[in-house]
Amino acid sequence: MTIVMNEEPRRMVVEAAGAKVGGGHFGIIAGPCTVESREQTLEVARVVADNGAIMFRGGAYKPRTSPHSFQGLGVEGLRLLGEAKEETGLPIVTELLDVRDTEHVSEVADVIQIGARNMQNYPLLTEAGRTGIPVLLKRGLSATLEELLLAAEYVLKEGNPNVILCERGIRTFETAYRFTLDLLAVPALKHMTDLPVIVDPSHAAGRREWVEPMSLAAAAAGADGIIVEVHPDPDAALCDGSQSLELDRFAAYSEKVRQVAEVAGGVASAAL
Ligand code: PEP
Ligand code: MN
């Protein structure tokens, strides 16, 4: 389900396999941090599909701080994402971590995610741009908005206009949470560019109790969407469990966020 807000004719709408983000279309992208197993992936995909998500997220290649942490299922993870799409119809958002994986990732991804750590990996941005597949570009951990927009230019210059910008928290002196969610980036980026701007509250919060309030705040700030981590058993998750919403809470969460988006944006709600 997507919420159609007031007409904003100048704004860019990014469309991925039927799902629209930007230009008045607000949507929730949800799924686990990481594809762990067939059961986990399909279970989350079914629930988020039934409860208003417009796309399914899940990493097959994970950028982990420690080389000893789980790095993702790779090609097998991509195959499971393909299965999730086949079953639910939800477009797939998945990260491209390395130029060498471009071909495999392009076979499954409806949106290629470029992670925060790779925001300034210029050859990777160029490759992602060349695929022609929409790109979800996360803001780097210590990147200014101007640097984010210049990174987006690397994709655009390849003739790929479909870039979604994502604020996911930046590093500041504050240590009480994982990152500082810079919500002022939403109106500021919208002033600086016509590209859609979404918010990832999960990676900033680091704790699931703080994900809903920051999602509501992001929707109120005028974000074009939210990308959020959800897991059926967060305590057993292989990656980012502490910040993952419990699957059985997703329906209520989704409803609330979409209500705020509607209030912030104006008008009606329409099913995809
Ligand atoms: C993720 O989406 O799971 C992720 C690793 O995000 P980021 O690049 O923002 O840290
Ligand atoms: Mn994650």
Side-chain angles (χ1 to χ4, degrees):
M1 185 183 290
T2 189
I3 292 172
V4 181
M5 298 189 283
N6 282 329
E7 286 272 320
E8 295 175 77
R10 284 180 309 106
R11 295 231 156 254
M12 173 83 190
V13 181
V14 172
E15 193 165 346
K20 289 180 181 167
V21 176
H25 299 269
F26 176 93
I28 298 176
I29 301 166
C33 175
T34 307
V35 174
E36 298 173 5
S37 69
R38 182 168 187 273
E39 194 187 19
Q40 170 247 15
T41 304
L42 296 182
E43 188 181 354
V44 180
R46 285 181 198 120
V47 172
V48 302
D50 286 347
N51 290 284
I54 60 158
M55 298 191 213
F56 183 62
R57 66 146 289 154
Y61 300 93
K62 296 305 302 180
R64 303 305 300 277
T65 302
S66 165
H68 307 297
S69 301
F70 178 62
Q71 305 285 309
L73 291 179
V75 172
E76 172 59 10
L78 293 174
R79 197 190 62 72
L80 293 172
L81 287 169
E83 229 183 289
K85 182 180 177 184
E86 208 166 289
E87 191 173 318
T88 63
L90 286 184
I92 300 297
V93 181
T94 197
E95 179 161 352
L96 176 64
L97 193 59
D98 185 319
V99 285
R100 292 170 294 185
D101 302 318
T102 308
E103 208 176 308
H104 286 309
V105 169
S106 301
E107 280 166 19
V108 173
D110 296 297
V111 175
I112 293 176
Q113 177 173 320
I114 301 293
R117 289 155 190 83
N118 266 323
M119 188 202 85
Q120 288 178 310
N121 182 336
Y122 302 121
L124 187 66
L125 293 167
T126 299
E127 280 305 302
R130 285 184 184 159
T131 65
I133 297 170
V135 172
L136 193 169
L137 179 60
K138 294 222 177 169
R139 182 182 184 181
L141 273 50
S142 59
T144 65
L145 298 185
E146 189 185 4
E147 286 164 340
L148 172 61
L149 291 173
L150 287 169
E153 289 280 346
Y154 274 85
V155 177
L156 302 175
K157 85 173 195 320
E158 296 306 316
N160 185 347
N162 302 304
V163 178
I164 301 168
L165 303 170
C166 180
E167 163 60 33
R168 49 77 72 207
I170 50 175
R171 185 152 275 167
T172 68
F173 51 81
E174 186 53 72
T175 56
Y177 25 79
R178 207 172 164 195
F179 295 97
T180 298
L181 190 63
D182 178 16
L183 286 182
L184 199 50
V186 175
L189 283 170
K190 289 189 143 198
H191 175 72
M192 296 161 87
T193 173
D194 288 344
L195 295 172
V197 181
I198 70 167
V199 171
D200 171 350
S202 305
H203 289 86
R207 280 177 69 155
R208 82 183 58 99
E209 309 89 280
W210 299 338
V211 169
E212 182 173 305
M214 296 319 289
S215 302
L216 299 176
D224 296 302
I226 304 281
I227 180 165
V228 66
E229 291 184 340
V230 185
H231 197 283
D233 183 6
D235 292 336
L238 295 179
C239 183
D240 287 348
S242 60
Q243 68 197 29
S244 298
L245 294 180
E246 285 146 338
L247 191 54
D248 56 7
R249 307 244 168 130
F250 181 75
Y253 162 86
S254 165
E255 179 58 30
K256 231 165 143 177
V257 172
R258 284 179 292 129
Q259 275 176 20
V260 173
E262 232 177 296
V263 170
V267 195
S269 162
L272 259 182

